[in-house]
Amino acid sequence: SQQGEEDPQALSIQEGENATMNCSYKTSINNLQWYRQNSGRGLVHLILIRSNEREKHSGRLRVTLDTSKKSSSLLITASRAADTASYFCATAPSGSSNTGKLIFGQGTTLQVKP
Amino acid sequence: GAGVSQSPSNKVTEKGKDVELRCDPISGHTALYWYRQSLGQGLEFLIYFQGNSAPDKSGLPSDRFSAERTGGSVSTLTIQRTQQEDSAVYLCASSSHPQGTGVGNEQFFGPGTRLTVL
């Protein structure tokens, strides 16, 4: 079943602007991860935030996690044309299974115009 | 190898035929996952391996789908009697996730196999 819901579905910005994508999920999680996908093929891991963390930074990326609201946001600062891609949030549900499997949202398609 | 590899990169088959998709995970990664991404959809979990065992097969959509892993390394996803709705990109990922810890680590994805069933 779908765990993550992302918004917006599509985002178009100018180079240099910031891009914010949001993700909501339904159940308790161990961690939440963001991935990037170019041209509908392999995914690249961007950042992982654990359930006991509230904010994490990696280069131009900033991720927040609010477990009380079951939501996360990904901020890309000073965007570049090369950031054009689809971005997915993925949650690792907590519970007895503990398989580490990820439940993905539908993704946000980001277009950065030069 | 340097990353996760998958073969073939593209597969076109006729409805009713069987197909095999291969995944070579990163050396030493004990956890292996298969996902499916249909056109315009998010990724859908199919099956999880820890070593050669598959403790979670909950995402396999029907009994036409099966997978195995040998030597704690290579995995093969088999789809029997393919249907048009099986058309999708099949992605494999591996991770150093240790079973039972509930912590979870990042997953490294292969480039995927694009399956088209005519």
Side-chain angles (χ1 to χ4, degrees):
Chain A
S1 61
Q2 198 80 10
Q3 167 83 305
E5 297 293 334
E6 295 177 62
D7 84 277
Q9 289 188 337
L11 181 61
S12 182
I13 59 175
Q14 293 295 133
E15 206 165 26
E17 294 180 339
N18 295 342
T20 300
M21 288 162 264
N22 302 295
C23 169
S24 61
Y25 56 92
K26 297 176 182 176
T27 63
S28 297
I29 62 171
N30 287 321
N31 66 69
L32 184 146
Q33 305 179 34
W34 286 90
Y35 287 81
R36 184 183 72 205
Q37 184 178 42
N38 290 87
S39 304
R41 297 305 288 261
L43 279 79
V44 174
H45 180 266
L46 296 176
I47 197 164
L48 180 154
I49 186 165
R50 301 199 186 280
S51 59
N52 60 353
E53 297 176 310
R54 293 297 167 258
E55 188 170 314
K56 206 161 183 181
H57 296 253
S58 176
R60 294 183 295 112
L61 305 180
R62 172 178 166 249
V63 169
T64 62
L65 178 65
D66 186 335
T67 53
S68 67
K69 295 181 179 179
K70 292 186 168 57
S71 66
S72 173
S73 67
L74 171 68
L75 169 67
I76 304 174
T77 60
S79 64
R80 305 167 181 168
D83 295 329
T84 295
S86 292
Y87 291 82
F88 293 89
C89 73
T91 52
S94 60
S96 59
S97 58
N98 289 334
T99 65
K101 72 180 181 185
L102 296 175
I103 308 298
F104 284 82
Q106 294 278 14
T108 293
T109 301
L110 173 66
Q111 181 185 31
V112 182
K113 299 175 184 177
Chain B
V4 179
S5 61
Q6 292 186 246
S7 60
S9 57
N10 287 285
K11 176 72 177 178
V12 180
T13 190
E14 293 179 348
K15 177 182 173 180
K17 301 282 189 181
D18 297 352
V19 295
E20 284 189 354
L21 312 180
R22 177 188 169 105
C23 172
D24 282 88
I26 292 173
S27 178
H29 278 186
T30 57
L32 186 148
Y33 307 83
W34 283 97
Y35 296 89
R36 176 171 74 173
Q37 184 176 29
S38 303
L39 185 63
Q41 300 296 311
L43 281 82
E44 171 190 19
F45 166 78
L46 297 178
I47 187 169
Y48 156 67
F49 285 93
Q50 181 65 234
N52 292 335
S53 301
D56 190 346
K57 306 178 182 179
S58 62
L60 295 178
S62 76
D63 59 8
R64 296 186 296 103
F65 287 71
S66 63
E68 65 175 12
R69 188 178 184 194
T70 56
S73 181
V74 172
S75 176
T76 303
L77 176 69
T78 301
I79 309 173
Q80 296 178 311
R81 305 180 303 280
T82 52
Q83 303 295 312
Q84 289 184 331
E85 60 263 29
D86 299 334
S87 296
V89 176
Y90 289 82
L91 291 155
C92 172
S94 70
S95 169
S96 59
H97 171 75
Q99 184 183 18
T101 65
V103 176
N105 294 321
E106 67 177 286
Q107 295 184 14
F108 295 84
F109 281 79
T113 294
R114 184 179 299 279
L115 174 66
T116 303
V117 183
L118 301 176

